[in-house]
Every structure is written in C-alpha cells, then in structure tokens.
Amino acid sequence: MTHEFDLLVIGAGSGGVRCARIAAGHGARVAVVESRHWGGTCVNLGCVPKKLMVQASEYGDMVEDSHAFGWNSTRGTHDWAKLIAAKDQEITRLNGIYVSMLEKAGITLLTGHARFENAHTVRIEPSPLAPTEAPRTVTAKHIVIATGSTPMKPDIPGAEHAITSDEAFHLPARPERVVIVGSGYIGIEFAGIFAGLGSKVDLVYRHELPLRGFDEDMRAAMKEAIHVRGITQHAPASPTQISKNGSTYTVTLNNGHTIETDCVFLATGRRPKIDSLGLETTGVKTAENGRIKVDSKRETSQPGIYAIGDVTDHLNLTPVAIAEGHNLADRLFGKERPRSWSLRTTPKAVFFSPPLASVGLSEAEAAQHGTVDIYFTRFTPMRHTLSGRKDRKTVMKLVVDQDSQKVVGAHILGDDAAEMMQGVAVAVTAELRKVDFDRTVGIHPTSAEELVTMRTRTRETPATR
Ligand code: NDP
C-alpha cells in the first residue's frame, strides 16, 4: 500500500520537530501536525519562558548586591506586565523560527487536532491553532506520537480554584502572596521566580526534603537555599482543601494548618496528552501510569507507530525528547549509523536561584553498586564575600566508585551550577576517573575550580548491595 507520507509526526514540540527535520534531511516525505502552538511546551509553556522569568527574578538582588561593589543603584519596582509582554514577544519570534525551519526542510505543516482512524490513517480536525480549517485525512507509513504532557492537579476539594504552570505564564498581575504545592522541578523553580520578584511564597511539600529522587545532601542543601531565599516551607505537608473567599484563598493542610493567599499554584506533576488521540483504534498500549509503552527503539506495541518525549515513561526532559526524535529518524530513514546519546548520564538542572545541577548517580544509588568515596565541599562564592550574602553557599559533591575510581556522579548547588555541569557531564559520560579530575588544571578564580581541587576524601560510604 502506498501512503501519502513516509512519516507523520503528531506534535511540533522539541522532540517531534527534531524527528521531522532529520527524517526530511534523509529524503523522507514528512508531515507534522500541530494543534496548539509551534515549538510545544518547551518553547511556549516550559523551559524558555521559565528561564526568562528566572532571569527576571534575579535582577532585584543583583541591584542590591551591586552597592557593595560601589554602585549607587536602587532596587526599584518590578513591572510584571512588561516582563510577560517581552517574554511573549520572544516566544512569538521562536514560533516563527520553528515554522520557517520546518518549511525550509520541505516538511508539510498541518494544523489541527490529530486522531487515529487506524494504524496508518489520521484524521485532522479543527483545533485552537486552526479553528476554521476544513478537516482532512492523511496516511503515513510511520507515525510518531510526540504530543507531550500537560499539568495534573490532585483530586482535592477546591482544586479548580488553583492555577498550574500553564496559567502562571500569563497571570494578569503578580500575586502578592502565593502558595505553591509540590517540590519537583516546577514547584521549586516557580517558588524562586515569585520570591525573587517580591511575592511572599509558601511552599508545601509532602516529604522532609524537597526534590525527591535527587542526592540527599543536595536535597538538604536545596532546603536551606529555599529558606535563605525567604520562602516559607511547610513540610512534610499536603493540601486537603482549597477554599475561595472573595479574591483570596485558604489552603488547608493535613497537619491542621491553614494558609491565606492570593494564588494557589499546583505543581504536582504532569500527565501525557493522549486523551483524544483515538489510540483505541490502534494497538498502542499504555503503562499503568498512563504513559505510552515503548521499546528501546521507541516503537509502541503497534508496529509502525512510535512515541517520543513526555508521552512515554522515559525521563521527561526536552533534550531527551530531542535525542529520541533524532535517533528514531536516523534509524528509520538514515543510511549511516544512527546518532546515539548516553541517556544513562543525562544531566539535569533545577533553575532555582541558586540552581541545582546533577549528572550520574546519587550517593545512595552508587552505593547499590559498591563502596563509594565521597568528596564534598561547601563554600561562599567570591561574589558573596563582598555582597554580604554569606549564607548563599555553593555546595559541590563528587561520587566516586571506590573499586574503579570512576566519577559516577557529580552534583552542584550554586550560582552557574547548570553552566558548570554541562562540561562535567562530558567527563562522567566518558567514565573518567578521579585522577583525571585531579590532573586537570583549574581556572582561577572560579567556583568551578573546586571540582578539580577536591583532593581529600570526605567520607567512605559502604556498599548497600
Ligand atoms: P515532578 O514530578 O517533578 O514533581 C511533582 C511534585 O508534586 C512532587 O513534589 C510530588 O511529590 C508532588 N505531588 C504529586 N502529587 C501530589 C499530591 N497529590 N499532593 C501533594 N503533592 C503531590 O513534577 P513537576 O510538575 O515539577 O514537573 C514535571 C516534569 O517536567 C518533571 O518531572 C520534569 O521531567 C519536567 N521539568 C523539567 C524541568 C527542568 O529540566 N528544569 C523544569 C520543569 C519541568 P512526591 O515527590 O512525593 O511525588
């Protein structure tokens, strides 16, 4: 049977766009269908606007800190509407770049909501991006589901009064008081944004430490950094109810406490966007957590249908979706060996102020494989010896497998942690040993040089296997 396209990608986010472009570069006839916004979550409601808002939130302290360096500047007030407008203008520019990039690659752009009719046929119907477009049906030999994820709210009374990250990017005004629930990436990052811009922030999370899944020492360091930023932490605690009283809200916690606020923000995870895709007309199966099950080649249980990015149960990070999309397109249409990535050592960053970045294993994970040597340092970075923010510490940790002396994990909380971690991730991916760090000359004066000057082991952690 001949199909109209060799490849149809559903969803023009980071992973889908990379998959489509690489496939088209290999000579495939490719179409991309998008229902909402070109560039997907990362560009429109995720990484890009978030990072711009994090940067906005850091200027107030920087102006204050500049006094110690001789500047006669005043902190002033922040214009929320101006920030949102500037951010939206940049996103519109990026939307245009995505469209022109796809067009230049010879890809057919389809706007509307895609719904499977069978494993090779998709019906495209009007959607917010194309409300008046006539419905059409397309067929493709290979179809990639790259529809991403959407915020999820817990099932508690009054949850409808709360916003999620989707709305946080377009609030008409900055709330003076905000309660944020959840201490994953989104909860921590937005707590930092609102606190930096001047809001009173209450952060509610259900364990003693934030950021479940990260190294314990770094979680403790983050808890301290959140405190230093002036954010009130309610932990361990969970909301049981949200009630609205005029223009304010009351959040009731399971420890009996209540918090009055102007805005409740639920940052309690995301779910895959697969609801109205018509997957029941195909053999695509989902896992218990609702995400699409894929094999190591990103193929679903239906031959010819693939899934990449946040709809799958793999690590949900933009660069991972991009790597998956690229690799898949190479495998389906390329003539040479597909480009591959070491997803085992995917670096991660939480853009709080200061940020936390990690690569490889935590101390507890590494100890499951054998005894580990820990190198740990905590110091005041040079800028803050003058700024007076002596409590704004940098924390660094190297996790070294004792037998092989390979550095299997690196963790940094401190200014520029994410920028530093990208280079360290190369070393950890290359399985370099502690001696390779030791023979690397530092750059002075930087915080990063500490990574190559931690000569004395802080402690040994016995194997737990
Ligand atoms: P996460 O899964 O990271 O965090 C969710 C948080 O909500 C956790 O603290 C979780 O607690 C808590 N939670 C979940 N359900 C409830 C509940 N019913 N009551 C109380 N608390 C609850 O999700 P996010 O929304 O922060 O982010 C989604 C994903 O997006 C991330 O996993 C990440 O992959 C990606 N992302 C990446 C970013 C980056 O790379 N910088 C930035 C933003 C998002 P518990 O730990 O107990 O489960």
Side-chain angles (χ1 to χ4, degrees):
M1 181 181 173
T2 54
H3 297 287
E4 199 178 340
F5 296 103
D6 300 316
L7 175 71
L8 173 68
V9 178
I10 306 175
S14 306
V17 165
R18 175 63 73 91
C19 186
R21 284 177 54 216
I22 299 301
H26 289 312
R29 293 167 305 148
V30 182
V32 176
V33 53
E34 170 58 43
S35 67
R36 195 171 174 198
H37 33 216
W38 299 100
T41 301
C42 177
V43 167
N44 295 277
L45 294 166
C47 334
V48 172
K50 177 276 306 285
K51 184 82 184 273
L52 291 171
M53 290 169 80
V54 169
Q55 288 168 339
S57 74
E58 291 178 333
Y59 282 103
D61 281 359
M62 281 161 71
V63 170
E64 244 169 45
D65 293 356
S66 71
H67 294 178
F69 292 81
W71 291 95
N72 293 315
S73 35
T74 47
R75 190 179 177 115
T77 56
H78 181 258
D79 184 340
W80 172 266
K82 188 171 176 179
L83 167 65
I84 299 300
K87 178 259 304 171
D88 287 345
Q89 193 180 359
E90 171 59 6
I91 290 172
T92 304
R93 187 183 76 84
L94 294 174
N95 294 146
I97 287 176
Y98 268 75
V99 169
S100 70
M101 210 161 54
L102 289 165
E103 284 174 344
K104 275 192 201 135
I107 293 164
T108 302
L109 274 64
L110 303 168
T111 44
H113 178 79
R115 190 181 171 83
F116 281 95
E117 291 198 331
N118 61 49
H120 294 283
T121 311
V122 165
R123 175 94 173 147
I124 300 168
E125 288 175 336
S127 78
L129 188 59
T132 56
E133 202 136 312
R136 63 175 287 191
T137 302
V138 292
T139 63
K141 183 170 181 209
H142 302 285
I143 300 180
V144 175
I145 304 169
T147 45
S149 62
T150 192
M152 193 164 67
K153 288 181 177 179
D155 190 13
I156 54 167
E160 69 278 8
H161 299 310
I163 64 161
T164 67
S165 53
D166 277 6
E167 295 80 36
F169 287 116
H170 293 107
L171 287 175
R174 177 180 60 76
E176 281 304 320
R177 300 171 299 174
V178 57
V179 172
I180 299 183
V181 180
S183 67
Y185 290 82
I186 295 179
I188 302 262
E189 291 180 344
F190 271 96
I193 290 170
F194 283 116
L197 294 177
S199 301
K200 177 189 179 306
V201 180
D202 287 273
L203 182 64
V204 178
Y205 53 92
R206 57 187 182 184
H207 302 283
E208 284 292 343
L209 296 176
L211 284 176
R212 185 165 61 85
F214 280 76
D215 183 275
E216 290 290 298
D217 281 338
M218 307 314 288
R219 294 177 70 191
M222 178 58 90
K223 183 164 191 160
E224 190 187 331
I226 293 170
H227 170 73
V228 167
R229 198 101 176 102
I231 295 165
T232 305
Q233 298 174 80
H234 305 262
S238 283
T240 53
Q241 184 175 339
I242 301 164
S243 51
K244 188 173 188 319
N245 343 290
S247 59
T248 63
Y249 303 88
T250 305
V251 181
T252 307
L253 304 182
N254 61 353
N255 58 13
H257 291 161
T258 56
I259 317 168
E260 298 292 318
T261 188
D262 304 310
C263 175
V264 186
F265 181 149
L266 297 173
T268 45
R270 299 176 66 88
R271 63 177 174 78
K273 274 202 275 187
I274 53 171
D275 290 349
S276 46
L277 275 179
L279 292 183
E280 63 285 358
T281 64
T282 70
V284 174
K285 294 209 167 50
T286 51
E288 264 174 31
N289 60 8
R291 295 183 185 261
I292 295 178
K293 269 202 233 173
V294 286
D295 63 16
S296 60
K297 296 188 164 167
R298 309 299 183 257
E299 192 160 23
T300 67
S301 42
Q302 169 70 58
I305 301 185
Y306 310 82
I308 57 172
D310 286 12
V311 278
T312 71
D313 50 5
H314 292 173
L315 197 55
N316 288 175
L317 297 173
T318 295
V320 173
I322 291 172
E324 290 174 343
H326 192 129
N327 179 272
L328 178 61
D330 275 358
R331 274 193 302 99
L332 293 177
F333 304 107
K335 290 177 187 60
E336 288 163 15
R337 242 176 71 188
R339 184 171 168 193
S340 66
W341 280 260
S342 168
L343 296 179
R344 189 181 52 80
T345 52
T346 300
K348 298 175 265 190
V350 184
F351 291 96
F352 189 69
S353 304
L356 166 62
S358 283
V359 65
L361 304 179
S362 66
E363 180 175 342
E365 287 166 341
Q368 287 168 17
H369 304 279
T371 302
V372 287
D373 292 336
I374 298 298
Y375 295 81
F376 186 88
T377 181
R378 185 172 181 275
F379 58 94
T380 303
M382 193 174 184
R383 177 187 297 276
H384 296 308
T385 57
L386 234 65
S387 77
R389 293 187 197 277
K390 292 217 167 72
D391 51 0
R392 197 162 156 157
K393 300 290 183 197
T394 289
V395 176
M396 289 181 176
K397 178 170 177 177
L398 293 180
V399 180
V400 180
D401 174 68
Q402 195 173 78
D403 280 351
S404 65
Q405 282 299 299
K406 283 179 186 166
V407 178
V408 292
H411 310 272
I412 306 172
L413 179 134
D415 295 339
D416 305 316
E419 301 292 343
M420 284 186 247
M421 191 52 76
Q422 189 67 78
V424 181
V426 176
V428 174
T429 301
E431 300 187 22
L432 296 187
R433 291 163 305 147
K434 180 63 171 60
V435 68
D436 298 309
F437 280 62
D438 295 342
R439 68 195 177 92
T440 302
V441 178
I443 301 172
H444 187 71
T446 61
S447 288
E449 69 183 312
E450 294 289 325
L451 288 163
V452 295
T453 53
M454 283 191 266
R455 296 211 188 285
T456 313
R457 187 178 71 180
T458 310
R459 65 176 180 269
E460 175 188 275
T461 305
T464 53
R465 65 180 170 197

